[in-house]
Amino acid sequence: MFGRFSRAIAAGRRAAAAAEAARAVAAHDLPPDAGPEVGWALLRLGEVAGADPRLDAHRAFCRARGYRCLLLSDSIPAACVGARDIVFEHVPWPPHGGSPPAGGFQAGVDYAFRRLGLALAFWQVVGCDCDGAEAAGLLELAPADAHPALISARAAAVHKERALLESGRPC
Amino acid sequence: MARVSRWASFWRAFIAVLLGGSAVHAASQAEVNAWNAAVSANTTDGYYLYLSLYPAGDYVDEAIAALGRLGAVGTARRVDPIPASPSTPSDSAGTDPTGLY
C-alpha cells in the first residue's frame, strides 16, 4: 500500500511538472483549435506483395491521431491506388532504378533527399516512420541538412534500437 | 489559474495510479524527460525528436503547436479531395498547341 502511494505521488509530481512545461509552451501559442494541419509519413523502399499490415497500421494511426497520411516510397502499392485517405509521394531510390542515375550513386542519393525534403515540407510532416531495412539504410545516408523529420526519425530509430539492446530483448 | 492546472494534473495522475495502477496510461518518466528537454531547447529539432520518439505521447499537440510557433509548419493548407472520377478538361484543346493534352 505504501509503495502504491509512493508511485502515485511520483506520478502526480511528474504530471504537474509536465503540465508546467506544457503551459510554458502554450503561453506563446495559438489556441489549440488553430493548429496547423500536419502529416505523418511512412518511408518505405521496395515493393510489398500481398497484405500490407504495416501500411494498414500507418493509416489507422494517422486516422486516429488526425494526421494527413503520407506514404513515401519508390513504388506505389496497390492499396494506394484510388485511396482518398493517403497521399503517395515518389522517392527515387537509385538501387531500384533500371539504370544508374546521372552523376552516380551519390547524386541519386542527394536527389532523393531533396525530393523527400520538398514533399515533407509541402505536406507539413511532423513525423516519419521507417519501414524496412532499406528505408533505414536510406536514412543512414541522410545529410546534415535533410528535413528534420528525417533526422529525428533516424535518431529515434537508433534510440529505440539501443533501448531494445539494453533491455536484453531480441530485436 | 496556473496553480489550479498544475494541481489538477497532480491529482489526476495521483488518483489514476492509486486506483488503476499501471493499467492507466500516464506519461513515463522517460517521456517527461524528453518533453522537458525539447521545451528547454525550444528548437524544431528538439520537438521533431520528441514526436519521433513518442508519436502517441501526451505532449504531441503541444509539440506540434510549438513547431507551428517556430515556423516549421504553417497554417492549414487546404487540399481538395480527389474527385470520384477523373474529369475531362474541356478547354485544353485550345491551349495546347501539340494537341496531346
Side-chain angles (χ1 to χ4, degrees):
Chain A
M1 190 65 186
F2 178 74
R4 175 170 283 194
F5 262 102
S6 300
R7 284 195 299 275
I9 290 171
R13 283 178 174 163
R14 284 198 302 269
E20 195 71 31
R23 194 166 36 255
V25 172
H28 306 91
D29 272 340
L30 299 170
D33 57 348
E37 187 177 9
V38 295
W40 201 280
L42 178 67
L43 176 63
R44 163 195 287 174
L45 298 172
E47 294 184 16
V48 173
D52 197 343
R54 185 66 185 85
L55 182 59
D56 293 342
H58 175 58
R59 290 168 90 166
F61 168 76
C62 291
R63 196 180 308 121
R65 305 290 306 192
Y67 295 125
R68 188 189 304 284
C69 182
L70 275 89
L71 176 67
L72 312 170
S73 178
D74 59 342
S75 61
I76 183 165
C80 284
V81 178
R84 299 182 185 205
D85 63 336
I86 188 164
V87 174
F88 175 81
E89 289 281 357
H90 180 250
V91 181
W93 179 224
H96 291 162
S99 57
F105 179 78
Q106 188 56 48
V109 170
D110 292 344
Y111 180 70
F113 278 103
R114 280 203 304 276
R115 183 80 184 78
L116 278 170
L118 287 172
L120 294 174
F122 180 82
W123 293 109
Q124 307 192 67
V125 171
V126 296
C128 180
D129 290 326
C130 191
D131 180 21
E134 286 201 75
L138 175 61
L139 285 186
E140 289 292 323
L141 301 173
D145 61 347
H147 192 281
L150 298 173
I151 301 289
S152 63
R154 182 179 63 184
V158 170
H159 178 86
K160 288 172 184 172
E161 189 176 348
R162 190 175 300 154
L164 276 173
L165 288 174
E166 286 174 358
S167 69
R169 281 184 287 168
C171 295
Chain B
M1 183 65 184
R3 184 179 294 273
V4 170
S5 177
R6 193 173 68 215
W7 278 106
S9 301
F10 175 89
W11 286 114
R12 195 162 52 232
F14 178 86
I15 293 170
V17 172
L18 196 64
L19 298 180
S22 59
V24 177
H25 175 264
S28 67
Q29 185 63 56
E31 182 185 343
V32 173
N33 289 343
W35 171 246
N36 288 335
V39 171
S40 299
N42 198 30
T43 61
T44 56
D45 290 351
Y47 292 116
Y48 273 115
L49 183 58
Y50 169 79
L51 287 167
S52 293
L53 287 171
Y54 302 98
D58 284 357
Y59 312 108
V60 164
D61 293 340
E62 288 90 342
I64 292 172
L67 286 175
R69 178 168 45 84
L70 293 171
V73 292
T75 54
R77 176 182 288 121
R78 287 194 62 82
V79 177
D80 293 332
I82 302 169
S85 59
S87 59
T88 306
S90 58
D91 57 347
S92 60
T95 57
D96 181 25
T98 66
L100 294 173
Y101 301 102

